[in-house]
Amino acid sequence: MKLTLRVITPNGVDFEGEVDSVAIPTDSGEIEVLPDHRPIITILIPGGLVLKNAENCHVYAVDQGFARVNGNVISIITDELLNMDRADIEEIERATERAERALEEARNNRSAMDPMEVERLEAKVRYQMAKKLICKH
Amino acid sequence: MKGVREIKRRMRAVANTAKITRAMQLVASSKMKKAQRIAVSGRQYILALSEIVDCLASANGKYIKHPFFKKREIKHRGVLIIGTEKGLCGSLNQGLVKKIITDFSAGNEKFVTIGKKASQFVSKLRRDLLADFSVSDRVELCELRPVIEFLKNAYLRGEVDSIEVVYSRSVNPLTHEQVCNKVLPMLNLSAEISSLKKRMHISEEGNAADSREVIFEPNVQAIVDKLSHMFFSQSIFRDVLEAKAAEHSARMFAMKNATDNADSLSKNLAMEYNKARQAKITNEIIEIAAAANG
């Protein structure tokens, strides 16, 4: 039996396919979902989404969001998805630097920035760091 | 019959107007394509979020200690109206006015508007207007943050006991409907979910729900805390996107009609002009002939 995995971002369905199992980075640690898992709703944190099939294994980077297992359908609801097989390490490092610098600037003049914006930038940095970590592995 | 010169002047004026409306039609059509693409691609996201909220509320409705999930007695309804910033978009805003007169006339509504036209007609109807905001054509979530914060605070302070969003969305490029989306409190989302599914052409029984009890990790409260604000702002954002797509398509058709009208008008004027010119020539010939005979 296979699992149907759907990754939904604000731009639509970014990934839809069948997998044997999937590892999801969540708030309370990584969980591995196999067919016939109990229904679960959980908080997704930035990290690596590992899709395993009999013959191959792919790693995707996901941003924060939610994950839901319902029957054999897994929905990952996140802000962004990146296929790490095609990722460019240098580009990620540059993006991380940019995100960190933006956050630094925002923190330095906290009065001018609204806290939501700082929070958004922090989330961005966390996502970039997660991508970098996946790359190093 | 009118003078030849006067007809000529009118022809020029009509041709100029047609040029302007044609340009506006083209601008609106390119904006519409973009807005529609964004609106359509975001529907999956909001549907998935709604399903999670619905699942949470139906499984643990009573235990959730979050004001967004609590049903209270409705003393004041909060209504967010998404109108357009500019006119020339057919009957889009009139449709909203009609909707307000029919559905929101109990006297206990408080209005918040997006778009200049919406705030104009709410104040013309002498309703209670709490605040008005405006957004640009290429709207982003961060642009809506003041609106979202305002509505959230009004709800949490108890100024309003529900939040409903009224806007027009396109059914197909030619027709629009005015809809009301009840955003807060987040209860009974099933109606909203099935209408979303219908719009996206997903069959209801597509994937049968698992009947086993759902686990919430790490716990219900943590998910509620993270989800409630996000879902609230995303709902409003999606409604604004749908409204923008409808606005551009309405404007495109209004301008297309105007261009077509101008074209037929200028055709009639050309006919009239030719007739007048011919009559003038005939008159002159008669005069010459009469002079020659005399």
Side-chain angles (χ1 to χ4, degrees):
Chain A
M1 187 134 65
K2 288 240 178 188
L3 288 161
T4 308
L5 176 74
R6 306 175 73 208
V7 182
I8 303 159
T9 67
N11 304 323
V13 179
D14 263 20
F15 177 91
E16 185 157 21
E18 299 210 314
V19 290
D20 282 334
S21 82
V22 56
I24 305 170
T26 77
D27 214 1
S28 31
E30 194 179 65
I31 57 167
E32 176 110 22
V33 178
L34 291 162
D36 273 329
H37 194 280
R38 269 189 73 180
I40 183 169
I41 291 177
T42 181
I43 297 173
L44 191 74
I45 56 164
L49 188 72
V50 187
L51 281 58
K52 285 177 202 146
N53 272 321
E55 61 275 12
N56 54 29
C57 169
H58 292 287
V59 184
Y60 284 78
V62 288
D63 203 342
Q64 57 178 349
F66 298 92
R68 180 186 188 207
V69 180
N70 183 22
N72 279 326
V73 182
I74 305 171
S75 318
I76 305 280
I77 301 152
T78 180
D79 293 341
E80 218 183 304
L81 175 80
L82 181 74
N83 185 347
M84 295 312 283
D85 299 346
R86 269 179 252 146
D88 177 357
I89 299 176
E90 281 173 22
E91 176 53 37
I92 289 173
E93 295 220 338
R94 277 199 296 276
T96 312
E97 251 171 56
R98 275 203 302 276
E100 273 170 349
R101 211 175 312 127
L103 178 62
E104 200 57 42
E105 271 172 35
R107 276 188 179 144
N108 286 342
N109 57 12
R110 193 147 239 192
S111 54
M113 294 287 275
D114 77 293
M116 300 278 285
E117 189 66 21
V118 175
E119 210 171 277
R120 193 180 66 82
L121 289 169
E122 276 171 357
K124 203 168 169 186
V125 170
R126 275 200 298 275
Y127 177 50
Q128 289 297 345
M129 292 306 247
K131 281 200 274 193
K132 228 164 103 174
L133 276 176
I134 300 165
C135 271
K136 295 255 167 78
H137 277 295
Chain B
M1 193 166 269
K2 274 177 208 153
V4 176
R5 200 184 295 163
E6 196 186 331
I7 296 173
K8 190 100 203 181
R9 199 167 55 221
R10 278 198 65 198
M11 278 169 74
R12 251 200 312 270
V14 170
N16 279 340
T17 311
K19 229 181 257 170
I20 294 168
T21 54
R22 189 168 289 126
M24 284 169 85
Q25 179 195 337
L26 291 177
V27 170
S29 91
S30 88
K31 276 185 182 169
M32 178 197 76
K33 272 179 208 145
K34 211 170 190 177
Q36 224 140 34
R37 203 184 52 235
I38 296 172
V40 169
S41 60
R43 281 181 198 156
Q44 279 286 353
Y45 190 70
I46 197 74
L47 176 66
L49 280 179
S50 322
E51 280 178 339
I52 290 186
V53 174
D54 188 45
C55 189
L56 261 175
S58 57
N60 304 280
K62 291 185 197 97
Y63 309 107
I64 299 173
K65 288 191 196 68
H66 194 283
F68 282 5
F69 286 85
K70 212 161 268 169
K71 193 172 179 143
R72 10 190 237 218
E73 191 200 340
I74 292 178
K75 290 186 207 113
H76 295 286
R77 289 163 87 183
V79 186
L80 172 69
I81 300 171
I82 309 171
T84 65
E85 203 62 41
K86 294 185 194 108
L88 295 179
C89 49
S91 58
L92 209 64
N93 287 318
Q94 282 89 317
L96 285 174
V97 175
K98 254 185 225 156
K99 176 96 178 159
I100 289 165
I101 292 173
T102 53
D103 292 1
F104 300 94
S105 294
N108 63 347
E109 296 90 0
K110 289 184 176 175
F111 291 93
V112 177
T113 59
I114 292 178
K116 215 162 73 192
K117 292 283 160 188
S119 70
Q120 275 169 4
F121 67 66
V122 168
S123 51
K124 254 185 212 152
L125 288 168
R126 298 186 178 282
R127 299 298 167 84
D128 196 354
L129 182 63
L130 288 182
D132 57 337
F133 297 93
S134 60
V135 292
S136 66
D137 267 344
R138 295 169 60 187
V139 58
E140 298 269 346
L141 184 56
C142 57
E143 216 176 316
L144 285 173
R145 195 168 294 142
V147 187
I148 291 163
E149 286 298 309
F150 182 86
L151 288 173
K152 192 173 117 187
N153 290 335
Y155 184 81
L156 293 179
R157 276 200 307 265
E159 278 175 48
V160 294
D161 302 299
S162 73
I163 287 181
E164 297 162 53
V165 186
V166 177
Y167 63 101
S168 10
R169 65 181 180 198
S170 47
V171 183
N172 57 46
L174 275 173
T175 47
H176 304 98
E177 58 176 359
Q178 278 70 42
V179 287
C180 172
N181 176 16
K182 295 190 174 71
V183 182
L184 286 183
M186 291 176 187
L187 300 163
N188 298 327
L189 282 173
S190 41
E192 191 55 37
I193 291 175
S194 57
S195 99
L196 245 174
K197 277 189 177 165
K198 218 163 123 194
R199 266 173 90 66
M200 288 159 63
H201 311 292
I202 301 175
S203 63
E204 284 283 341
E205 61 275 8
N207 35 20
D210 200 320
S211 56
R212 288 173 294 180
E213 198 188 329
V214 184
I215 318 169
F216 296 95
E217 288 242 8
N219 54 53
V220 174
Q221 197 56 43
I223 296 181
V224 168
D225 286 343
K226 199 168 155 60
L227 189 60
S228 50
H229 179 78
M230 180 180 168
F231 181 64
F232 178 56
S233 48
Q234 282 291 340
S235 300
I236 289 172
F237 182 44
R238 292 298 145 195
D239 290 344
V240 172
L241 289 180
E242 294 273 352
K244 280 282 168 204
E247 176 190 339
H248 291 312
S249 90
R251 179 164 296 131
M252 188 186 94
F253 276 92
M255 288 302 112
K256 189 182 178 317
N257 284 340
T259 312
D260 290 350
N261 272 344
D263 284 345
S264 78
L265 202 59
S266 79
K267 216 182 265 169
N268 288 344
L269 281 172
M271 183 76 90
E272 212 175 303
Y273 172 73
N274 287 341
K275 274 187 192 158
R277 195 191 53 187
Q278 195 56 51
K280 200 175 156 201
I281 294 168
T282 316
N283 259 341
E284 278 168 12
I285 291 175
I286 291 170
E287 272 166 26
I288 293 167
N293 283 345

